Amino acid sequence: MADEKETKGEKKYKYSILIPTYNERLNIAIIVYLVFKHLRDVDFEIIVVDDGSPDGTQEIVKQLQQLYGEDRILLRARAKKLGLGTAYIHGLKHASGDFVVIMDADLSHHPKYLPSFIKKQLETNASIVTGTRYVKGGGVHGWNLMRKLTSRGANVLAQTLLWPGVSDLTGSFRLYKKSVLEDVISSCVSKGYVFQMEMIVRATRKGYHIEEVPITFVDRVFGTSKLGGSEIVEYLKGLVYLLLTT
Amino acid sequence: MKHIVKILSLLVAISAFWIGLLQAAIVPRSHTWLLPIYFVVSLGCYGLLMVGIGLMQFPTCPQEAILLQKDITEAKDFFKHKGVDVGSG
């Protein structure tokens, strides 16, 4: 087995791509297609953690399994919507890769960046490679001025208070060494996007080597995303929590 | 060390420096009393400046939306040929 993994003296790694889904019937198929398109020479598996979607997401995934193979696409569903953190933990249990990539299922994260995550990690031996929308080469499409202002204000506040060591705190397109993800996730308790912030801040505090790659983010092709007063309050609460407990 | 401890230590150090200035009276006391206000205001201005600069330089990628639509069409065609019914979202 060892000689199969080594080509020209280089070790070949396996990547587990973890995608939590809820009502992403069309998007999950497109994502799977794009992952296979952009990771041709890579050993990977896609783990779909679906929370009992009523729109037939799981049926589509089963068809994709027929097409691509059940060893390449794993469906590890749950009965109902149970939250992102637990979805990652659940998916992690079934991951057989050396690395775990987490990404969103709504096409805001494009699989074409997967090779750059992998390359960055191999070059730097980083424990975590996180995608950032806020640097040159990255970017966001689909945000109006108000949304950009909120995002920028939130980011400056978080940088001032937390000194997080990354430019994009709430991003959820990341590659982790499997053991690092297991370690960090066990100490996180927040929900939603505060959870993503908590993950990266705790990883920084623990001294893990974190690198960034630019990514572009196209907001919600199908469906709607919301940012209202309650999200802002939740964010501020999350900041204070992280300020005091990390 | 917890992050909050670092921040509090920094604040304590700054406060000690300020009290030291008050006692030593190298700078006239009336000015020294106002220093914390200057500090907070400067911090606020710096924050606003960073927000403004960031907003002006905010990277956008309109071409990505077009590329994504192309990818979606490509994927849908692929699945139609393979008999996978993805329906419409």
Side-chain angles (χ1 to χ4, degrees):
Chain A
M1 262 303 173
D3 29 285
E4 275 179 40
K5 273 193 136 192
E6 284 169 42
T7 41
K8 297 183 210 150
E10 286 169 14
K11 189 162 181 240
K12 279 210 111 180
Y13 293 109
K14 183 172 179 184
Y15 299 85
S16 299
I17 302 171
L18 225 167
I19 310 180
T21 61
Y22 188 74
N23 282 348
E24 301 287 5
R25 190 196 146 92
L26 174 56
N27 292 337
I28 191 66
I30 297 172
I31 292 206
V32 167
Y33 171 80
L34 289 171
V35 171
F36 275 91
K37 178 179 175 188
H38 290 280
L39 287 185
R40 286 240 159 121
D41 291 319
V42 177
D43 183 14
F44 69 89
E45 61 182 1
I46 299 176
I47 305 175
V48 180
V49 180
D50 183 71
D51 282 356
S53 298
D55 74 342
T57 302
Q58 293 186 28
E59 280 62 50
I60 276 281
V61 175
K62 288 187 187 136
Q63 288 190 59
L64 293 168
Q65 283 181 310
Q66 294 303 307
L67 193 55
Y68 291 103
E70 281 181 16
D71 56 327
R72 307 307 294 282
I73 302 179
L74 279 60
L75 176 62
R76 296 292 177 261
R78 302 189 299 176
K80 55 178 185 153
K81 232 170 182 240
L82 288 171
L84 202 58
T86 49
Y88 290 153
I89 294 173
H90 184 77
L92 249 186
K93 286 197 205 119
H94 305 281
S96 61
D98 308 287
F99 297 92
V100 179
V101 175
I102 60 162
M103 58 189 293
D104 288 351
D106 61 358
L107 288 176
S108 52
H109 295 153
H110 199 299
K112 68 183 174 188
Y113 293 107
L114 287 169
S116 67
F117 278 87
I118 293 173
K119 181 161 176 253
K120 186 65 145 180
Q121 194 286 323
L122 288 172
E123 281 171 355
T124 61
N125 198 24
S127 298
I128 303 175
V129 179
T130 178
T132 171
R133 300 163 282 182
Y134 302 141
V135 300
K136 210 161 179 190
V140 180
H141 176 76
W143 282 3
N144 59 14
L145 187 66
M146 203 52 210
R147 182 71 183 85
K148 285 184 198 167
L149 181 65
T150 323
S151 155
R152 192 62 202 149
N155 197 271
V156 168
L157 193 59
Q159 294 290 337
T160 311
L161 289 178
L162 295 176
W163 311 354
V166 295
S167 60
D168 189 346
L169 270 166
T170 54
S172 49
F173 196 176
R174 296 182 183 150
L175 178 146
Y176 293 83
K177 276 187 189 167
K178 185 156 150 223
S179 55
V180 173
L181 181 57
E182 282 163 351
D183 178 31
V184 174
I185 217 168
S186 63
S187 49
C188 290
V189 296
S190 311
K191 312 238 179 278
Y193 57 83
V194 180
F195 172 72
Q196 301 294 354
M197 288 166 61
E198 188 178 4
M199 295 254 275
I200 206 72
V201 172
R202 290 216 187 270
T204 306
R205 302 285 183 252
K206 286 182 190 243
Y208 283 119
H209 180 184
I210 304 175
E211 291 284 340
E212 290 191 305
V213 293
I215 57 164
T216 55
F217 182 94
V218 179
D219 202 357
R220 276 263 151 205
V221 179
F222 302 113
T224 49
S225 80
K226 41 184 167 39
L227 188 75
S230 62
E231 268 86 23
I232 294 177
V233 169
E234 197 191 315
Y235 177 80
L236 292 173
K237 277 202 219 160
L239 270 188
V240 174
Y241 165 77
L242 288 176
L243 181 62
L244 297 175
T245 62
T246 59
Chain B
M1 192 202 299
K2 282 244 192 299
H3 183 68
I4 186 73
V5 174
K6 256 193 230 169
I7 297 227
L8 287 176
S9 319
L10 194 63
L11 287 176
V12 165
I14 294 176
S15 308
F17 174 72
W18 178 60
I19 293 173
L21 265 185
L22 275 178
Q23 290 189 327
I26 308 169
V27 179
R29 285 225 172 93
S30 52
H31 288 172
T32 316
W33 273 114
L34 291 174
L35 274 178
I37 301 177
Y38 292 155
F39 178 67
V40 170
V41 171
S42 318
L43 201 63
C45 287
Y46 176 74
L48 286 174
L49 187 70
M50 294 310 289
V51 172
I53 291 178
L55 197 59
M56 284 195 302
Q57 293 177 335
F58 206 105
T60 56
C61 48
Q63 73 285 2
E64 291 295 331
I66 300 169
L67 289 174
L68 183 58
Q69 289 306 318
K70 277 208 197 120
D71 282 332
I72 292 174
T73 313
E74 188 185 311
K76 276 183 171 174
D77 283 340
F78 173 81
F79 286 122
K80 206 163 37 166
H81 285 130
K82 297 282 180 173
V84 177
D85 173 30
V86 290
S88 44

